[in-house]
Amino acid sequence: MSDGDIRGAFAAHPKFEDAGDDAYAPTTNDWDATVTVAEGSVTVTVRVPTLSASVTAHDEVADVVEEGWFETLELRLDDATNVTRAEAKGEPMVERDDGEVVFEATIDARRENVADDALAVVNYVEGTWFEGIIPGYDYREDVQDLRDRAAGNAQADRL
């Protein structure tokens, strides 16, 4: 597929919107994510808060807890590109940047389902982050809202 075809696949996909500069943003996610098209590949970038940035101002996360949380997240995100049939180009990058965890991975965009592949990676990163939320802390409002929605969905599934 040419870069024009790849951009067309994202432009036509109902769960992406144009973010400018050959980038597309998923419309169904809770955190900042973009997919950039270049040279037959797409680079998926997802930004999620660190554990300490997720809690309220009156709650502190011990350094050892934050380190362990990040190391576990980093190990689990190494598998993020395995949720697609697209070939990964290099290893995913996971780093902390001023209260955020930045994930970035590049996948080959020759598959017809490139937009679905990119969305699967974004969903994997967000889901993996969410699974790592540690009970016992008071979380800021947007994070607590995610937790409440998940609990509500779990209750609805049991009915």
Side-chain angles (χ1 to χ4, degrees):
M1 293 177 80
S2 72
D3 283 358
D5 292 336
I6 298 165
R7 285 189 289 276
F10 281 98
H13 198 282
K15 294 183 179 177
F16 280 94
E17 63 186 11
D18 190 330
D21 296 326
D22 294 329
Y24 299 86
T27 59
T28 58
N29 296 83
D30 294 298
W31 303 115
D32 183 32
T34 56
V35 177
T36 307
V37 178
E39 299 175 17
S41 298
V42 295
T43 300
V44 179
T45 305
V46 184
R47 294 177 173 276
V48 295
T50 61
L51 182 62
S52 59
S54 299
V55 299
T56 60
H58 72 274
D59 235 349
E60 283 190 41
V61 177
D63 289 343
V64 68
V65 174
E66 179 79 21
E67 285 304 313
W69 174 86
F70 178 74
E71 288 171 8
T72 301
L73 180 65
E74 187 176 34
L75 287 170
R76 293 185 69 211
L77 291 181
D78 280 345
D79 295 331
T81 57
N82 292 344
V83 298
T84 77
R85 290 192 173 132
E87 183 179 323
K89 293 190 168 188
E91 296 296 318
M93 182 272 307
V94 181
E95 63 184 25
R96 283 180 279 202
D97 181 31
D98 195 29
E100 290 185 317
V101 175
V102 180
F103 168 88
E104 188 172 284
T106 301
I107 58 174
D108 188 345
R110 289 181 286 181
R111 284 179 28 86
E112 217 172 276
N113 300 358
V114 63
D116 289 332
D117 288 339
L119 188 58
V121 172
V122 171
N123 289 338
Y124 182 90
V125 172
E126 286 196 357
T128 301
W129 172 86
F130 186 76
E131 289 173 352
I133 292 296
I134 299 172
Y137 290 102
D138 289 327
Y139 288 96
R140 64 185 206 202
E141 189 174 332
D142 55 346
V143 175
Q144 188 59 48
D145 182 50
L146 291 172
R147 295 182 78 219
D148 292 344
R149 284 193 334 224
N153 289 341
Q155 289 295 337
D157 287 348
R158 290 183 188 158
L159 299 176

